[in-house]
Every structure is written in structure tokens, then in C-alpha cells.
Amino acid sequence: MGNKKLVNIVYNELQFSQETAKYLRKKLQDMNFTIAEDFDENADLIICVGGDGSFLKALHDYDFPNIPIIGINTGHLGFLAEVDPDGIDYFLERYQRGEYTTEISHPVEASICTRNSCIKKMGVNEIVIKGDKSRTIHLDISVDDQLLQRFSGDGILISSALGSTAYNYSIGGSIVDPRLSVLQITPLAPINTNAYRSFTSSVILPPDARVKISPEYRFEDNIVIVCDGVEHRYSKITEVDIYIAEETIEMIRLEKGNFWNKVIDKFL
Ligand code: NAP
């Protein structure tokens, strides 16, 4: 019986990724899947071959497509990936039999306003607001229109639940179980002196929270916004609103409750 499922394969330029993608293509063809020549928005599945960086890039490059995705790790860490290259056969058999679950998560979104307009940017893992050229920044941070603190330091990182194990974790933020939908604000080198007072731990907020950030010195241009490692600069930022995006990331999972095994395996 023919298998009509359409698959997008995306991979990075590493030789091992290209070889893995070639093997994957052959296996999919043998199993009667259809492989999209160019990225197809109507596909049933995206298979991303690479590391976490490639996984993030694929979601950004294809504008957060509404298609289930699975990562095959040929990278360094591969925390977001579900399968290693030697598990491809096992994955495809399970996928064909429908023996998998999906884990839904949401990126964080920022509406970045200047004096003239607002622009939206998304982060799968996080959005960081930090001082350009290593300057200290001062930010008024409000949650649901209530001023939470006047932050001074290197910057702040707003993490999605999915991104809690990425940059957020490196700067002392908490690891979040993927069953929770939360926004986490984690400070980057907060200053705590008689001159300035900032929270030193992360703050965890519910999924409908709206975080508003205003540079304390209005219209200063020493702020850079970093979305999943990509820097963006805008002139005269007046305010940045950050919240959980409506877009979803639907990740294929082969084993239920594998998150904490992965944390132990990759972090401890
Ligand atoms: P990158 O080299 O692509 O990534 C840095 C490391 O973060 C890599 O080992 C990557 O895994 C890992 N990573 C990415 N997403 C992860 C996740 N959700 N959970 C656990 N580990 C994850 O760096 P980049 O291009 O500058 O930025 C991409 C991401 O890296 C950012 O979104 C940020 O979260 C993270 N980052 C971390 C630090 C830090 O920890 N000090 C600094 C900058 C950026 P692979 O090896 O599989 O790619």
C-alpha cells in the first residue's frame, strides 16, 4: 500500500549531516514516503538533521511552519533532537505505525516599538535584551502593567519553557518541565549595590503574562535584542512587549516523559 505522507528534510552543511540526510532520503523512498524537493508548507513532517542550532534555524527560516518536526542529532549537544542517526530506522518504523506522541510548545514573541513603528520578532528558546558594546543597561520591567523592578546590569533574558535548558540555564535560570507553559525572566549580571537594586534570581510567570520593558533612559540606542542567538538593532527603542506567542511548535516524541532522562544524560 502506498504511503502518501509528504516529508521535508532540512539539514546543515556538515558532511555528516549531508550523509545522514542522504541515508534518510533513501529509507523514506524505500518506505514509500514522498520527499519534498523544495520546502513544502503542506508537508506532514519536517525532519531536521543537525544540532539544536539547525533546529532553531529551520523554524526561523520557514517562519514557524504549522507542521510537526523532529530533530536527528548530528550536532554537539542535540537537546531538542529526539533521535540519533543510528536510530533513524527505528524512528521511521514507529512513525509509520503512528507510534509517537507530539509535544506542543510556544515560542516567545517580542513587539519592539520605536518612535515610529513596532516590529515583531520570535524566539524558540529566548529573547535577550542587553547592552550594546558591553554597556550597563537600565530597564523598567513591568508585568501586566505593574512595575516589577528597575533593572540594572548586562541585560535580561526572557525564556520560553522549551528554551529553559539553553542560555537561560547557563545564566542560572531554572529548568522547566515541558508540561508547563511559562515565561521566565532571568537576569544577566544584575547589579546589587546601594546605587542599584535588581532581582538576582529568575522570575517565573504564567502563560498569559505580558512583560513590558522600557529603557530607563528613553530613546537611548545602546540596546541590542537577541533572538535565539541572532542580534537585532533598532534605533530609538521606546518599549518592548514580550509574551508567549500564539504560534506552536509541534515536536514528535517517541518516548513519553523522556525530558528528565535527557537532562540527566546531557547535563549531569
Ligand atoms: P549555538 O552554538 O547554536 O548553541 C549554543 C549551545 O546551546 C549548543 O550546544 C546548542 O546545542 C545548545 N542549545 C541550543 N538550544 C538548546 C536548548 N533548547 N536546550 C539545550 N541546549 C540548547 O549558539 P548561538 O547560535 O549563539 O545561539 C543559539 C542558542 O544557543 C540560543 O538560543 C541560546 O539559547 C544558546 N546560547 C547559549 C549560550 C550560553 O549557554 N552561554 C550563549 C549564547 C547562546 P547544539 O550543540 O546541538 O547546537
Side-chain angles (χ1 to χ4, degrees):
M1 205 171 66
N3 188 327
K4 297 285 179 240
K5 288 213 164 163
L6 178 62
V7 181
N8 288 312
I9 306 176
V10 290
Y11 51 95
N12 63 22
E13 71 292 343
L14 288 180
Q15 197 185 338
F16 184 43
S17 301
Q18 295 189 22
E19 285 162 7
T20 305
K22 198 170 160 194
Y23 176 79
L24 183 62
R25 179 176 281 273
K26 167 96 179 55
K27 281 297 292 183
L28 285 165
Q29 276 162 348
D30 290 349
M31 292 170 82
N32 249 346
F33 285 89
T34 309
I35 302 153
E37 276 315 312
D38 297 313
F39 189 89
D40 193 320
E41 286 181 1
N42 297 312
D44 300 286
L45 177 68
I46 302 168
I47 305 179
C48 176
V49 183
D52 292 333
S54 308
F55 194 93
L56 302 174
K57 188 171 180 308
L59 290 169
H60 281 278
D61 283 356
Y62 298 108
D63 204 17
F64 295 85
N66 201 10
I67 306 171
I69 183 166
I70 187 161
I72 295 178
N73 180 33
T74 56
H76 288 117
L77 183 71
F79 192 84
L80 299 172
E82 186 68 359
V83 184
D84 283 331
D86 59 9
I88 288 178
D89 293 11
Y90 173 69
F91 154 58
L92 291 178
E93 281 155 24
R94 293 275 307 266
Y95 181 72
Q96 197 168 41
R97 291 201 296 266
E99 291 173 5
Y100 58 89
T101 55
T102 52
E103 182 186 302
I104 305 284
S105 75
H106 295 268
V108 283
E109 182 167 304
S111 170
I112 304 152
C113 296
T114 62
R115 267 195 284 197
N116 305 323
S117 60
C118 296
I119 184 165
K120 292 196 167 151
K121 288 280 162 200
M122 299 235 267
V124 177
N125 281 336
E126 78 276 315
I127 293 178
V128 182
I129 301 178
K130 61 179 199 171
D132 203 3
K133 303 188 183 79
S134 308
R135 298 291 307 274
T136 304
I137 54 169
H138 310 275
L139 305 169
D140 280 349
I141 305 175
S142 304
V143 175
D144 298 334
D145 289 326
Q146 182 178 5
L147 181 66
L148 189 68
Q149 65 169 320
R150 193 154 288 176
F151 172 89
S152 297
D154 282 4
I156 58 163
L157 181 153
I158 297 103
S159 165
S160 66
L162 188 67
S164 71
T165 49
Y167 196 0
N168 173 69
Y169 175 65
S170 303
I171 58 167
S174 297
I175 295 179
V176 174
D177 189 299
R179 289 169 291 185
L180 295 171
S181 177
V182 294
L183 262 186
Q184 182 168 182
I185 310 177
T186 307
L188 273 155
I191 301 180
N192 255 294
T193 61
N194 286 344
Y196 300 113
R197 289 272 170 230
S198 311
F199 284 141
T200 51
S201 69
S202 61
V203 172
I204 295 183
L205 301 168
D208 57 349
R210 311 272 305 191
V211 180
K212 199 171 281 182
I213 292 143
S214 327
E216 193 197 341
Y217 308 121
R218 291 275 164 143
F219 310 132
E220 65 180 12
D221 275 347
N222 66 351
I223 285 172
V224 58
I225 314 254
V226 192
C227 305
D228 295 332
V230 178
E231 291 188 349
H232 303 275
R233 287 180 173 76
Y234 304 93
S235 181
K236 307 199 188 319
I237 291 176
T238 52
E239 195 171 88
V240 184
D241 282 308
I242 302 191
Y243 43 88
I244 292 183
E246 278 179 12
E247 279 76 359
T248 52
I249 303 165
E250 196 179 337
M251 284 174 296
I252 302 273
R253 295 290 185 225
L254 296 182
E255 318 296 341
K256 255 194 165 175
N258 199 28
F259 175 79
W260 290 104
N261 284 341
K262 229 187 245 182
V263 171
I264 293 163
D265 193 35
K266 307 238 176 208
F267 289 4
L268 297 180

